[in-house]
mmCIF file of all heavy atoms in Angstrom:
data_model
loop_
_atom_site.group_PDB
_atom_site.id
_atom_site.type_symbol
_atom_site.label_atom_id
_atom_site.label_comp_id
_atom_site.label_asym_id
_atom_site.label_seq_id
_atom_site.Cartn_x
_atom_site.Cartn_y
_atom_site.Cartn_z
ATOM 1 N N GLY X 85 3.388 4.400 -16.091
ATOM 2 C CA GLY X 85 2.018 4.687 -15.666
ATOM 3 C C GLY X 85 1.984 5.593 -14.449
ATOM 4 O O GLY X 85 1.266 6.603 -14.416
ATOM 5 N N GLU X 86 2.777 5.250 -13.444
ATOM 6 C CA GLU X 86 2.825 6.064 -12.229
ATOM 7 C C GLU X 86 3.375 7.455 -12.542
ATOM 8 O O GLU X 86 2.919 8.449 -11.990
ATOM 9 C CB GLU X 86 3.683 5.356 -11.172
ATOM 10 C CG GLU X 86 3.755 6.048 -9.823
ATOM 11 C CD GLU X 86 2.441 6.031 -9.061
ATOM 12 O OE1 GLU X 86 1.675 5.072 -9.216
ATOM 13 O OE2 GLU X 86 2.176 7.003 -8.320
ATOM 14 N N MET X 87 4.335 7.495 -13.494
ATOM 15 C CA MET X 87 4.940 8.782 -13.843
ATOM 16 C C MET X 87 3.916 9.744 -14.440
ATOM 17 O O MET X 87 3.853 10.910 -14.069
ATOM 18 C CB MET X 87 6.087 8.563 -14.815
ATOM 19 C CG MET X 87 6.840 9.822 -15.149
ATOM 20 S SD MET X 87 7.426 9.780 -16.840
ATOM 21 C CE MET X 87 5.893 9.795 -17.751
ATOM 22 N N PHE X 88 3.070 9.245 -15.361
ATOM 23 C CA PHE X 88 2.046 10.114 -15.965
ATOM 24 C C PHE X 88 1.130 10.676 -14.889
ATOM 25 O O PHE X 88 0.798 11.857 -14.870
ATOM 26 C CB PHE X 88 1.228 9.337 -17.005
ATOM 27 C CG PHE X 88 1.776 9.466 -18.393
ATOM 28 C CD1 PHE X 88 2.329 8.369 -19.044
ATOM 29 C CD2 PHE X 88 1.753 10.685 -19.044
ATOM 30 C CE1 PHE X 88 2.857 8.498 -20.319
ATOM 31 C CE2 PHE X 88 2.271 10.822 -20.322
ATOM 32 C CZ PHE X 88 2.830 9.716 -20.961
ATOM 33 N N SER X 89 0.711 9.791 -13.972
ATOM 34 C CA SER X 89 -0.185 10.212 -12.903
ATOM 35 C C SER X 89 0.477 11.292 -12.042
ATOM 36 O O SER X 89 -0.115 12.329 -11.758
ATOM 37 C CB SER X 89 -0.552 8.979 -12.080
ATOM 38 O OG SER X 89 -1.499 9.306 -11.124
ATOM 39 N N GLU X 90 1.735 11.044 -11.664
ATOM 40 C CA GLU X 90 2.404 11.973 -10.754
ATOM 41 C C GLU X 90 2.769 13.277 -11.456
ATOM 42 O O GLU X 90 2.764 14.339 -10.836
ATOM 43 C CB GLU X 90 3.651 11.314 -10.145
ATOM 44 C CG GLU X 90 3.286 10.208 -9.159
ATOM 45 C CD GLU X 90 4.469 9.716 -8.341
ATOM 46 O OE1 GLU X 90 5.457 10.457 -8.195
ATOM 47 O OE2 GLU X 90 4.401 8.582 -7.828
ATOM 48 N N ARG X 91 3.095 13.201 -12.749
ATOM 49 C CA ARG X 91 3.399 14.443 -13.471
ATOM 50 C C ARG X 91 2.193 15.358 -13.490
ATOM 51 O O ARG X 91 2.314 16.579 -13.546
ATOM 52 C CB ARG X 91 3.862 14.139 -14.904
ATOM 53 C CG ARG X 91 5.314 13.767 -15.070
ATOM 54 C CD ARG X 91 6.282 14.686 -14.392
ATOM 55 N NE ARG X 91 6.659 15.881 -15.126
ATOM 56 C CZ ARG X 91 7.784 16.017 -15.819
ATOM 57 N NH1 ARG X 91 8.638 15.032 -15.909
ATOM 58 N NH2 ARG X 91 8.074 17.148 -16.416
ATOM 59 N N ALA X 92 0.987 14.763 -13.452
ATOM 60 C CA ALA X 92 -0.226 15.570 -13.427
ATOM 61 C C ALA X 92 -0.587 15.987 -11.996
ATOM 62 O O ALA X 92 -1.600 16.647 -11.786
ATOM 63 C CB ALA X 92 -1.383 14.802 -14.060
ATOM 64 N N GLY X 93 0.240 15.572 -11.015
ATOM 65 C CA GLY X 93 0.004 15.991 -9.633
ATOM 66 C C GLY X 93 -0.760 14.995 -8.790
ATOM 67 O O GLY X 93 -1.234 15.341 -7.715
ATOM 68 N N VAL X 94 -0.900 13.759 -9.282
ATOM 69 C CA VAL X 94 -1.662 12.766 -8.518
ATOM 70 C C VAL X 94 -0.783 11.556 -8.198
ATOM 71 O O VAL X 94 -0.374 10.813 -9.099
ATOM 72 C CB VAL X 94 -2.914 12.293 -9.296
ATOM 73 C CG1 VAL X 94 -3.713 11.310 -8.460
ATOM 74 C CG2 VAL X 94 -3.770 13.474 -9.698
ATOM 75 N N LEU X 95 -0.480 11.368 -6.907
ATOM 76 C CA LEU X 95 0.229 10.164 -6.478
ATOM 77 C C LEU X 95 -0.767 9.008 -6.484
ATOM 78 O O LEU X 95 -1.837 9.120 -5.896
ATOM 79 C CB LEU X 95 0.782 10.369 -5.058
ATOM 80 C CG LEU X 95 1.465 9.170 -4.412
ATOM 81 C CD1 LEU X 95 2.812 8.908 -5.043
ATOM 82 C CD2 LEU X 95 1.638 9.376 -2.909
ATOM 83 N N ASN X 96 -0.434 7.923 -7.170
ATOM 84 C CA ASN X 96 -1.373 6.795 -7.228
ATOM 85 C C ASN X 96 -0.817 5.579 -6.482
ATOM 86 O O ASN X 96 -0.128 4.739 -7.056
ATOM 87 C CB ASN X 96 -1.696 6.439 -8.676
ATOM 88 C CG ASN X 96 -2.826 5.435 -8.772
ATOM 89 O OD1 ASN X 96 -3.273 4.906 -7.757
ATOM 90 N ND2 ASN X 96 -3.286 5.168 -9.979
ATOM 91 N N LEU X 97 -1.135 5.501 -5.184
ATOM 92 C CA LEU X 97 -0.715 4.337 -4.400
ATOM 93 C C LEU X 97 -1.629 3.142 -4.667
ATOM 94 O O LEU X 97 -1.440 2.071 -4.102
ATOM 95 C CB LEU X 97 -0.718 4.652 -2.904
ATOM 96 C CG LEU X 97 0.262 5.717 -2.407
ATOM 97 C CD1 LEU X 97 0.253 5.774 -0.884
ATOM 98 C CD2 LEU X 97 1.672 5.446 -2.885
ATOM 99 N N GLY X 98 -2.616 3.338 -5.546
ATOM 100 C CA GLY X 98 -3.469 2.222 -5.934
ATOM 101 C C GLY X 98 -2.769 1.284 -6.902
ATOM 102 O O GLY X 98 -3.320 0.245 -7.278
ATOM 103 N N ILE X 99 -1.549 1.623 -7.292
ATOM 104 C CA ILE X 99 -0.831 0.882 -8.341
ATOM 105 C C ILE X 99 -0.682 -0.600 -8.015
ATOM 106 O O ILE X 99 -0.894 -1.455 -8.872
ATOM 107 C CB ILE X 99 0.552 1.540 -8.616
ATOM 108 C CG1 ILE X 99 1.274 0.819 -9.752
ATOM 109 C CG2 ILE X 99 1.409 1.585 -7.369
ATOM 110 C CD1 ILE X 99 2.521 1.531 -10.233
ATOM 111 N N GLU X 100 -0.348 -0.913 -6.760
ATOM 112 C CA GLU X 100 -0.106 -2.312 -6.401
ATOM 113 C C GLU X 100 -1.378 -3.146 -6.626
ATOM 114 O O GLU X 100 -1.341 -4.209 -7.239
ATOM 115 C CB GLU X 100 0.347 -2.382 -4.937
ATOM 116 C CG GLU X 100 0.627 -3.780 -4.416
ATOM 117 C CD GLU X 100 2.004 -4.303 -4.766
ATOM 118 O OE1 GLU X 100 2.845 -3.541 -5.269
ATOM 119 O OE2 GLU X 100 2.238 -5.508 -4.560
ATOM 120 N N GLY X 101 -2.516 -2.632 -6.149
ATOM 121 C CA GLY X 101 -3.770 -3.359 -6.321
ATOM 122 C C GLY X 101 -4.264 -3.335 -7.752
ATOM 123 O O GLY X 101 -4.833 -4.319 -8.244
ATOM 124 N N THR X 102 -4.041 -2.212 -8.449
ATOM 125 C CA THR X 102 -4.459 -2.107 -9.844
ATOM 126 C C THR X 102 -3.747 -3.157 -10.687
ATOM 127 O O THR X 102 -4.367 -3.831 -11.527
ATOM 128 C CB THR X 102 -4.148 -0.693 -10.379
ATOM 129 O OG1 THR X 102 -4.823 0.259 -9.561
ATOM 130 C CG2 THR X 102 -4.594 -0.537 -11.819
ATOM 131 N N MET X 103 -2.440 -3.322 -10.465
ATOM 132 C CA MET X 103 -1.683 -4.335 -11.210
ATOM 133 C C MET X 103 -2.206 -5.730 -10.913
ATOM 134 O O MET X 103 -2.334 -6.572 -11.809
ATOM 135 C CB MET X 103 -0.192 -4.242 -10.867
ATOM 136 C CG MET X 103 0.513 -3.078 -11.529
ATOM 137 S SD MET X 103 2.164 -2.778 -10.849
ATOM 138 C CE MET X 103 3.052 -4.207 -11.448
ATOM 139 N N LEU X 104 -2.526 -5.976 -9.637
ATOM 140 C CA LEU X 104 -2.997 -7.299 -9.243
ATOM 141 C C LEU X 104 -4.344 -7.615 -9.884
ATOM 142 O O LEU X 104 -4.547 -8.696 -10.453
ATOM 143 C CB LEU X 104 -3.110 -7.377 -7.716
ATOM 144 C CG LEU X 104 -3.332 -8.767 -7.145
ATOM 145 C CD1 LEU X 104 -2.077 -9.603 -7.283
ATOM 146 C CD2 LEU X 104 -3.736 -8.694 -5.687
ATOM 147 N N LEU X 105 -5.274 -6.646 -9.823
ATOM 148 C CA LEU X 105 -6.598 -6.873 -10.396
ATOM 149 C C LEU X 105 -6.499 -7.037 -11.912
ATOM 150 O O LEU X 105 -7.170 -7.884 -12.508
ATOM 151 C CB LEU X 105 -7.540 -5.721 -10.029
ATOM 152 C CG LEU X 105 -9.012 -5.906 -10.393
ATOM 153 C CD1 LEU X 105 -9.593 -7.124 -9.693
ATOM 154 C CD2 LEU X 105 -9.833 -4.672 -10.040
ATOM 155 N N SER X 106 -5.627 -6.251 -12.550
ATOM 156 C CA SER X 106 -5.443 -6.367 -14.003
ATOM 157 C C SER X 106 -4.861 -7.729 -14.362
ATOM 158 O O SER X 106 -5.269 -8.343 -15.355
ATOM 159 C CB SER X 106 -4.508 -5.270 -14.517
ATOM 160 O OG SER X 106 -5.048 -4.016 -14.244
ATOM 161 N N ALA X 107 -3.889 -8.170 -13.567
ATOM 162 C CA ALA X 107 -3.303 -9.492 -13.825
ATOM 163 C C ALA X 107 -4.388 -10.561 -13.755
ATOM 164 O O ALA X 107 -4.419 -11.502 -14.557
ATOM 165 C CB ALA X 107 -2.194 -9.783 -12.817
ATOM 166 N N MET X 108 -5.321 -10.392 -12.798
ATOM 167 C CA MET X 108 -6.393 -11.366 -12.617
ATOM 168 C C MET X 108 -7.384 -11.320 -13.778
ATOM 169 O O MET X 108 -7.689 -12.347 -14.383
ATOM 170 C CB MET X 108 -7.103 -11.090 -11.286
ATOM 171 C CG MET X 108 -7.941 -12.219 -10.745
ATOM 172 S SD MET X 108 -9.489 -12.495 -11.598
ATOM 173 C CE MET X 108 -10.348 -10.992 -11.214
ATOM 174 N N THR X 109 -7.883 -10.125 -14.107
ATOM 175 C CA THR X 109 -8.889 -10.040 -15.178
ATOM 176 C C THR X 109 -8.273 -10.456 -16.508
ATOM 177 O O THR X 109 -8.924 -11.113 -17.322
ATOM 178 C CB THR X 109 -9.464 -8.619 -15.307
ATOM 179 O OG1 THR X 109 -8.392 -7.703 -15.464
ATOM 180 C CG2 THR X 109 -10.270 -8.229 -14.090
ATOM 181 N N GLY X 110 -7.007 -10.067 -16.731
ATOM 182 C CA GLY X 110 -6.345 -10.449 -17.974
ATOM 183 C C GLY X 110 -6.230 -11.959 -18.090
ATOM 184 O O GLY X 110 -6.589 -12.555 -19.115
ATOM 185 N N PHE X 111 -5.757 -12.564 -17.009
ATOM 186 C CA PHE X 111 -5.604 -14.019 -17.011
ATOM 187 C C PHE X 111 -6.958 -14.701 -17.226
ATOM 188 O O PHE X 111 -7.072 -15.637 -18.019
ATOM 189 C CB PHE X 111 -4.995 -14.479 -15.678
ATOM 190 C CG PHE X 111 -4.966 -15.968 -15.519
ATOM 191 C CD1 PHE X 111 -3.957 -16.715 -16.112
ATOM 192 C CD2 PHE X 111 -5.954 -16.628 -14.805
ATOM 193 C CE1 PHE X 111 -3.930 -18.090 -15.981
ATOM 194 C CE2 PHE X 111 -5.938 -18.003 -14.684
ATOM 195 C CZ PHE X 111 -4.927 -18.744 -15.270
#
Side-chain angles (χ1 to χ4, degrees):
Chain X
E86 183 68 31
M87 184 214 65
F88 267 113
S89 185
E90 290 191 23
R91 278 311 276 260
V94 182
L95 176 73
N96 189 353
L97 296 187
I99 183 171
E100 180 83 9
T102 302
M103 284 168 70
L104 191 71
L105 188 60
S106 300
M108 198 286 294
T109 54
F111 173 81

